[in-house]
Each structure stands twice: as structure tokens, then as C-alpha cells.
Amino acid sequence: MATFPPNIPPELLHELSKYTTPTGVADYAALALIGGIGATLLSRGRLWDKPDPLHHLWFERPQLKNGAQAGSANKETRNIAQKLEETGKNIVVFWGSQSGTAEGFAHRLAREISIRWGQEAMTADLSDYDPITISEIPNAKLAIFVVSTYGEGDPSDNTAEFWSWISKASDVSLSNLRYAAFGLGNTNYKFYNRVVDVIVEGLDKFGAQPLMPVGKANDAEGATEEDFMSWKEDLFAVFKDKLGFQEAEAKYVPSLKVEEDESLEPIDLHHGEPNNRAEAPKTAAQSSAVRTLNISDSRELFTSSDRHCLHMDVDLSSQPELSYKTGDHLAIWPGNPDVEVERLLDVLGISSRRDIPLGITTLDSATKVPIPTPTSSIAIFRYYLEICAPVNRDNIRDLAQFAPTPEAKAYLLALGKDKDTYASFIGRTHVNLGRLLQLACPDRPWNNLPLSYLVETLPHIRPRFYSISSSSIVSPRKPSITAIVSTTPLPENPNELIHGVTSNYLLAISQQARSQSHPSGITYHLNGPGDALQGGKVFAHIRRSKFKLPALGKTPLVMVAAGTGIAPFRAFLSERCQLLKIGKEVGPMILFFGCRNPNEDYIYREELEEMQAVLGGRLRIVTAFSRLEGTPRQYVQDRVGEFGKDVIEVIEEGGNIYVCGRAGMAREVEKVVGRTMKEAKGWSDDEVNGWSKTIKKKNKWQEDVWG
């Protein structure tokens, strides 16, 4: 029966009912038909047109059923104690890593424990397991933590959950847990190795038993590798003297199998396309998916002929789902230079088989396949492994077992044995894998060196992040980046340069657009896998950042930058110019900028002066030049000290302070500002530290720093 809204007169209801009540066979037939259609639609998928549960098999690749990309029917446990029991492991090496160094150390350590000490060891991403389950690890097993600190004492993304738990948990007993810990940090940052300190403090608070003092690496001195190796040897002394482990001759035992499979077709393979969706959930959530993006324009910013700095505009038009906000980062995924790819293929004797399909499978249930499979040798060396990275002493010694001649074996053992010999060698020669193998044995291929060893031990290519130097309000579909091209001379051989992988890759793309070659003659496969990058494209993704302008345009700003640290401030100023143009109030700003020489590397000078003219008296630019002939060296932190009263005035007016550049510079700037506040306010050191923590907690002091 039809229903009507209330408050309708009875006479009208009576009249309407004549048209809503069935009056004949035709009306009843129509109602029956409508009801039948509705019932049919509602029952679809239940009573009829049920989906075939095996329909997906038509689309599966049979060769992937047992591979890492095929997935698993069994959901992985998040209980680390259960995982150790299921896999028969005695030792777990947890890792927390932002750039990949701590992860690499963890894998090296677990592998060496298994080979050298006969103990079943596994690595574990801290984000893969529920933190509370470490309390269930029995006393007969060991836990080792290898964790990095970055930024202002921050944990890596994959350590965040464990960090939160260990800091806030209560009523937890870890009395059965025996552990060791190693931290990676940098004394250029204020909170050196804070993450490992907090974790160890929490473990001890809950009764865990340390096997040895915590180890720490200091990257500010370039000593991370040697610090790790020294700590590792101390750990192994504990294994031998306290735990009674028996040391055996180190011999490679693969945890992966890499084998040719010529039954696969090119369409089945991964040719080098990157994928960031496999990262820790928190990391993945902060980033867009990797996409191919057009470089719409690029130009040189330096006037020097032997130094290069690029401004690049990237076009998002082909990827409508991508967007960015002012202050975000653009991640560029590089390829390795052709000369190093060819060198490694030749020295391994597999140049002619570079395109043969390779399947990679795990031989250990606790080991993940680290790169996409199936693939090929050319894709592995061109896009998936960091083949340009220096070879550490551990790996040099390991490589000796695969040497094609006794002389090559002796050469590697001697080089890897002594710290000083190794340090002197890498001071003269950039010793990446291909070059090392050539030097050790120039006349014979390394046929006995398995690809599985390289996949397990070489670091995997990761993207490089660049601060976006455009405003999302002014240029919403064309973010820009500012990239200085890295060419570092060797300490003992200045004529030999180490070329940064990603920046030189970008330089090659920029030069190709002008029909010119790379200044150093370096070539890359710029068309990308399957010609996906043809026409000047890159693989890239956008990462969200907390380095943001305040919501109110009238908030005063102090911005401190050195070199390419100016990038996000170009975006900030561009946005504030736009706000002013549309009639919004804009607060006063001071930009401190440091570089070598105003005639050489004062990047964006004309743009900054134009924006200063638009903003009128609202923007003051203070420069510092460290290599200006005829004048003393001056750094940006020196200028901040000179204008200390103005900086304090901005702070007291509720302004924000931003610092972008190297971590050492940021630390010095904080010291200068803290000293100025101390003198102006008559504060003690504790009061200065308390103020510093408070202003950072409120996001009134933000940093985007590196190195």
C-alpha cells in the first residue's frame, strides 16, 4: 500500500489513491513483473550467475606459483617467537632502517652467524611483528637489534611501532630475553643514536639481559662500516667465550636459488620497473605509487663549467591521481651507468646471457626474495642492485672463496684482512664490485661466483629524495626539483672521480634533451625497461613531508639554507607571493642563504630578487659566501648569529624557523640561536634545551636535513 508524507489533506489523499491502487489485470501483471525483476537482481551471485571460484586460474602465471611474487595462501604470523619456532631459528636479527644501511648490516650479520658459527639465524623487519611477542622469545634463543637514528632523534618508519611500544608499555616482563644491540647515527645531529639508546633503556627496564655493551656507529666520520665490523667481532667473541659457540670455516651457503628458465617469455619478466608498495605500511602510506613522469623542462643553475646543478620540472599531467603539497619530496629511481653494468656482466662471464630469464626462489622459509622475480641479469644489474657501491671488507673476504685463481684469492684475503690496508686502497681506487673483480683477476671470468650471492649481499637500489622547489598553489601539476650533481674526487687520487648515481643519471637525461652527451662521457639506458622512459621520463613517486608552511600567511618566518637547501624556500616564497597577489596578509620573512661564490653557485638569484620586489619590505635576504676571493670565509650560521636580535624578534612574534641543508649546518644554526636566546633572556642551558624541545614539539622549528 502506498504511503504519503504527513500533513496532506484527506481529500487530496483520496484523489491520489485512485492512481496508486491497482485496478486491473494489466496493473497486477506490471507489479508482478517489477517484483520479479527486483528479486532476480537481488539474488544475482547467490542463486544464479555465481562466480566461478577457479576463474582466477585463467589469469595466473604457472611459473609464479612458487615464487615470491605469487603470494602465499598462509598468512604470515606476526608473533616472532612463533616464527622462530616454525623455522627452527635460534637467533633473530631485528632491523630498523630508513636508508637501507641498517637493513644491509642485519642481513650480513645473520648470514655470517649462520655460516661462521653454525647457528640458525634470520632477519626480521621490526614492523612485521607485534612488539609484545618478543616477551615470548625463550631464553635459549637470542635477539639482536640493528637500528638507525635519523633527523631529530627519530626512529625509522619501520621502527615506529616498536619504538612507541617500548616507550609506553608497562607490566611487561622480558626477563627471558637475551639481546645485543647496535645503533647507526651521526654526531652532526643533535640526538646522536637516540633510537638505540631508547630501545636499550626500555629492554633493560623490563628485565632483558644484555650480552654486551651497546655498539654505536658514527657516520659523521665516515666510520659506520668499520664501527659495525669492530662491534661484530666483539659480538663473536661473546659467542665463543660466553656462549660456547664453535666457529667453523666460513663457506657460502645460499638462502636463495637463482636459475635460468628459458621457458619464460619476455612478457613474464620484471625488466626493472620499481615498486615501493612492498615497503613497511607506514612508509608506503606516506608515499604515492611509483609512476613514469615526464621531465618537461630542465636547466643548469651553476655558471661553473666543472660543477653542475639542475633545476627540473616534472609533469604530473599523465598521472591524474598524483598530487603534491608545498614542502613534499620527489623520489627519483635511477638506473646504473652502462659502463658498470657491462663491466660486471663481462667479469662474471655472462654478457651473452644477459637477457635469459631468471627465476629466484627462497631456500629458507625465513628469507624473503628481495627483488622481483622472474627477471634477467641485465635488469638485476641495471635497475635492482647498487653495483656502484663500494665493497666492504667482509664481502671482500667472502669473495675470495669464489676466486678463479690462487693469486686472486690471496689478493682479496690480504686486502680484506687489514683495516689500514683497505682504507689506503679505497683512498686511491673506487672499489665497486666490478672493478674489484677485474683488479683481482683481470684475465679470467669469475664463473664460480653465483648470482644468488650477489642478490643476497649487494645493497638494493633505493630512490633518492629531493625537496620539491615549487609551490603546489602556483604550479599544481608541475613540481620541480633542484639537484646538485655529485662528483667526489678520491682522497689520494683527485683525478679519479666518484660519480653519484642518481644526480649523474639526471644530468644525462638533461643533456640528452639538448642532444648533448654527459660531460664525463657516462651513458645510461635512458629509455628504461621496455622503453617505458622513452622521451625524457623518470620513475618517480611523491613522499609526504612535515616540512610545511604555517596555515596563516601572516605568520613570520626565518628560513636558513645552504646550497640546494634553498629548494623548499623557493616554493615557500613563491606561495607567499601568490597569497599577496590575491589580497591575503603576508607576514615578515628573513631568508639566510649560504653558498661558495655569488658569481658561481648563487642559485635562483634572479628569482629571489624578483620575489623580494613583489613582497616589498616583507622579505629580507641575508647571504653568506664561503669562497669569495678577498673576503674571510663566512657560513650561514655566522650570519644567523649576526642577525640574532632579528631572529629573536620573529620568534617572539610567534614566527616559525625552518632549516634546510646539511645536518652539520643545522646543528650549528641551532647552537647559534640557542646561544642568542640564552644571552637575551638570561637563561640557563637547561632552560635553553627546554625551550628548544618545546618549539620543535609545536612544529615552530622544522628541519629538512641530510648527511
Side-chain angles (χ1 to χ4, degrees), residues 21 35 90 203 217 223 242 372 578 597 686:
T21 304
N90 300 323
L203 294 173
K242 291 186 178 180
Q578 185 66 20
N597 188 303
D686 288 342

Side-chain angles (χ1 to χ4, degrees), residues 609-686:
E609 290 173 350
E610 289 173 5
M611 289 190 282
Q612 188 175 27
V614 170
L615 291 163
R618 298 171 183 83
L619 173 63
R620 200 171 0 157
I621 299 176
V622 181
T623 54
F625 304 116
S626 61
R627 299 188 188 179
L628 182 59
E629 189 175 351
T631 63
R633 290 198 174 194
Q634 201 170 46
Y635 296 97
V636 70
Q637 57 266 29
D638 301 326
R639 299 292 272 163
V640 171
E642 287 180 37
F643 287 80
K645 290 182 180 178
D646 301 282
V647 172
I648 290 177
E649 184 178 336
V650 170
I651 293 170
E652 291 183 335
E653 290 176 357
N656 285 17
I657 297 181
Y658 298 89
V659 185
C660 187
R662 291 199 170 274
M665 178 274 289
R667 183 188 60 185
E668 293 303 315
V669 168
E670 184 175 355
K671 285 181 180 178
V672 168
V673 175
R675 188 162 57 244
T676 305
M677 290 293 291
K678 181 180 179 181
E679 293 171 358
K681 302 287 187 181
W683 286 348
S684 66
D685 289 339
D686 288 342

Side-chain angles (χ1 to χ4, degrees), residues 149-166:
T149 299
Y150 83 102
E152 284 299 307
D154 299 320
S156 63
D157 291 335
N158 76 308
T159 311
E161 182 184 4
F162 186 84
W163 165 277
S164 177
W165 175 80
I166 202 75

Side-chain angles (χ1 to χ4, degrees), residues 2-10 12-13 16 20:
T3 59
F4 297 92
N7 303 322
I8 295 178
L12 181 57
L13 285 174
L16 287 172
T20 57

Side-chain angles (χ1 to χ4, degrees), residues 386-401:
E386 292 272 15
I387 64 171
C388 296
V391 185
N392 60 67
R393 284 201 297 127
D394 277 348
N395 284 356
I396 288 176
R397 291 197 300 255
D398 284 350
L399 287 165
Q401 65 187 295

Side-chain angles (χ1 to χ4, degrees), residues 409-428:
K409 182 175 183 178
Y411 176 86
L412 293 177
L413 288 175
L415 181 60
K417 181 180 180 181
D418 183 71
K419 174 182 176 180
D420 294 332
T421 301
Y422 173 79
S424 175
F425 179 75
I426 63 173
R428 301 187 310 272

Side-chain angles (χ1 to χ4, degrees), residues 138-149:
N139 188 254
K141 301 182 186 294
L142 305 178
I144 301 172
F145 297 85
V146 181
V147 293
S148 64
T149 299

Side-chain angles (χ1 to χ4, degrees), residues 216-356:
K216 294 180 181 180
N218 184 7
D219 197 46
E221 301 173 357
T224 297
E225 181 68 41
E226 290 297 336
D227 289 340
F228 171 72
M229 292 180 65
S230 177
W231 172 82
K232 176 168 63 70
E233 290 306 315
D234 291 342
L235 174 67
F236 290 167
V238 170
F239 283 0
K240 181 178 180 180
D241 300 335
K242 291 186 178 180
L243 303 182
F245 292 171
Q246 297 297 311
E247 187 173 4
E249 180 183 357
K251 186 176 181 181
Y252 173 61
V253 178
S255 59
L256 299 173
K257 180 167 68 173
V258 181
E259 57 183 353
E260 294 183 352
D261 186 350
E262 297 190 57
S263 68
L264 299 174
E265 298 294 330
I267 195 174
D268 298 318
L269 306 184
H270 295 269
H271 297 284
E273 305 85 350
N275 175 23
N276 63 339
R277 298 294 88 183
E279 296 178 336
K282 183 178 179 181
T283 306
Q286 292 177 340
S287 301
S288 72
V290 178
R291 293 289 183 263
T292 57
L293 302 178
N294 286 296
I295 295 175
S296 59
D297 186 40
S298 67
R299 67 180 191 270
E300 278 273 5
L301 297 176
F302 284 175
T303 58
S304 170
S305 60
D306 59 346
R307 295 176 68 221
H308 301 273
C309 186
L310 301 173
H311 173 93
M312 287 186 145
D313 294 318
V314 180
D315 194 346
L316 303 182
S317 299
S318 63
Q319 307 293 341
E321 78 280 11
L322 291 190
S323 64
Y324 78 99
K325 297 294 183 184
T326 305
D328 284 345
H329 300 127
L330 187 74
I332 302 291
W333 294 77
N336 286 312
D338 292 336
V339 63
E340 299 301 342
V341 174
E342 295 301 326
R343 188 197 310 274
L344 196 48
L345 289 169
D346 288 342
V347 78
L348 295 175
I350 58 174
S351 185
S352 62
R353 304 188 68 77
R354 65 181 64 202
D355 296 314
I356 301 298

